[in-house]
Amino acid sequence: MPAVAVRFFAIVDTLPALPWWAWVGFFLFISAMLALDLGVFQREAHEVKMKEALGWCAVWATLALSFNALIWWWRGPASAQEFLAAYLIELSLSVDNVFVFILVFTYFKVAARYQHRVLFWGIVGAVLMRAVFILVGVSVINRFHWILYLFGAFLVYTGIKMALPGKGDEADVNPEQNFAVKLFRRFFPVSEQPHGGHFFVRENRAAELSANGAQAQQPNYAKVATSLFVVLIVIETTDLVFALDSLPAVLAITRDGFIALTSNIFAILGLRSLYFALSGIMQLFRYLKLGLALVLCFIGVKMLIEPWAHISIGSSLAVIAGLLGTAILASLLIPERKP
């Protein structure tokens, strides 16, 4: 048996024993919802307005809470509390992604009607990456428990860094210096012309070949990537960076691979609607980043003191909700000082 297959089955063996239909049913449901979203409601490219975005936010939140109720009925209140806490953490940390999406779309001048298409495929890629990361992370923690202390220290460091002015992850985003983009441009041609909502097109490269000294009197059509696909690469690699913060936080709440994965996916799926709902009013929530930083520090400390002091999931959920709620209220109630 190939080494990759052996490692895969070793990972599966460390996960909680769940019937196969639970995994298959969940992913079939998510696939059906994504197909309905893109194939029916978003068939025609259009700008997503606030009302539509809030409607989809309500849909995804209702689905997540309904699934939470199902877990309560199926696996008991402890698993349901873990799901809710993990979902709340991932959804809150996803707000940081909204800052980055705004920067990336502004930098590349992506038309509003094409932003949903980019985010849709970006979210699909993020779901696949998170699935691999979470399953591997659960396996590693179950085999090497001391990894938790490294995760805890990393979360405390990340929280302190996030709390410092100008030190958030969005400050590190530079599309032109993105390694994946530079590598892609090296091996695949990218069109400099706008091509609507397409990721790949066939373009006449004769003029470019002539400029490089090659014989290209006849049209020379070749498949090229568009700038929209470059934006998608930036979105995917950005999510990879954010996953390094959020996944340890989720695994601090639960070691159950099914709970960790499903809560993470529900939060990620609601991220597109969250972006369109908040992109115009993000400046109002100026204390939210500080609240997120405190949440990360709390979870990191919780992981570090676990051998000596156990903090229950219910208490963790109350602290997380209290910190985030206080940050939001402070943002809305405390007037901003004008320079």
Side-chain angles (χ1 to χ4, degrees):
M1 183 180 295
V4 175
V6 172
R7 291 177 182 176
F8 173 78
F9 286 115
I11 291 173
V12 173
D13 287 341
T14 65
L15 299 177
L18 287 174
W20 63 269
W21 53 261
W23 294 97
V24 173
F26 174 75
F27 282 106
L28 284 178
F29 170 74
I30 294 301
S31 300
M33 288 300 299
L34 288 173
L36 183 67
D37 183 7
L38 187 65
V40 178
F41 295 105
Q42 301 293 336
R43 174 176 291 183
E44 297 295 333
H46 66 280
E47 180 180 355
V48 179
K49 300 293 187 180
M50 176 71 75
K51 183 178 179 180
E52 181 182 356
L54 290 175
W56 275 105
C57 284
V59 168
W60 286 114
T62 301
L63 290 174
L65 294 177
S66 300
F67 188 79
N68 195 20
L70 177 63
I71 289 179
W72 185 296
W73 171 78
W74 175 32
R75 303 186 61 188
S79 294
Q81 288 180 355
E82 289 181 355
F83 177 92
L84 184 59
Y87 171 75
L88 184 60
I89 288 175
E90 180 60 36
L91 190 64
S92 302
L93 292 175
S94 295
V95 174
D96 242 13
N97 292 45
V98 174
F99 284 103
V100 176
F101 293 163
I102 294 172
L103 289 175
V104 172
F105 287 144
T106 302
Y107 182 90
F108 286 99
K109 299 180 175 62
V110 179
R113 63 182 180 276
Y114 301 132
Q115 292 178 5
H116 181 277
R117 176 175 171 81
V118 176
L119 290 180
F120 177 88
W121 292 110
I123 294 303
V124 171
V127 166
L128 296 177
M129 283 193 296
R130 298 299 178 94
V132 174
F133 285 176
I134 287 176
L135 297 183
V136 172
V138 170
S139 174
V140 169
I141 289 175
N142 288 337
R143 290 172 180 269
F144 308 103
H145 189 267
W146 55 268
I147 293 289
L148 280 176
Y149 306 123
L150 294 181
F151 283 172
F154 176 74
L155 288 177
V156 172
Y157 165 77
T158 303
I160 294 173
K161 180 183 176 183
M162 183 182 292
L164 297 176
K167 296 295 184 180
D169 288 324
E170 69 275 4
D172 301 328
V173 176
N174 188 338
E176 287 300 328
Q177 298 302 319
N178 186 291
F179 174 77
V181 172
K182 292 166 69 175
L183 186 65
F184 181 79
R185 286 182 179 273
R186 182 175 179 181
F187 294 101
F188 204 91
V190 177
S191 174
E192 301 300 328
Q193 303 297 324
H195 290 280
H198 298 287
F199 289 133
F200 294 93
V201 295
R202 296 190 67 83
E203 188 176 76
N204 184 9
R205 311 291 288 178
E208 182 177 326
L209 292 174
S210 299
N212 292 332
Q215 298 294 327
Q217 288 80 11
Q218 299 298 323
N220 189 323
Y221 288 94
K223 190 173 186 179
V224 299
T226 66
S227 59
L228 205 64
F229 189 75
V230 174
V231 176
L232 179 60
I233 294 176
V234 176
I235 294 294
E236 293 287 11
T237 52
T238 300
D239 180 76
L240 183 62
V241 173
F242 276 103
L244 299 178
D245 296 343
S246 65
L247 292 186
V250 170
L251 294 177
I253 296 297
T254 178
R255 317 289 156 73
D256 187 321
F258 185 77
I259 298 296
L261 182 57
T262 52
S263 61
N264 209 269
I265 289 178
F266 269 115
I268 289 295
L269 290 176
L271 179 57
R272 289 167 302 142
S273 305
L274 191 65
Y275 163 76
F276 290 110
L278 297 181
S279 59
I281 57 174
M282 284 302 297
Q283 68 277 6
L284 296 179
F285 301 100
R286 59 190 184 281
Y287 292 118
L288 183 57
K289 184 173 287 292
L290 178 60
L292 294 175
L294 294 175
V295 168
L296 288 180
C297 289
F298 165 73
I299 297 172
V301 171
K302 175 180 179 293
M303 298 173 79
L304 292 174
I305 67 174
E306 185 181 32
W308 304 278
H310 173 70
I311 301 178
S312 67
I313 295 298
S315 300
S316 300
L317 189 58
V319 171
I320 294 168
L323 289 173
L324 295 176
T326 301
I328 293 174
L329 285 176
S331 300
L332 298 176
L333 298 179
I334 300 177
E336 184 177 5
R337 290 183 180 180
K338 301 240 171 146

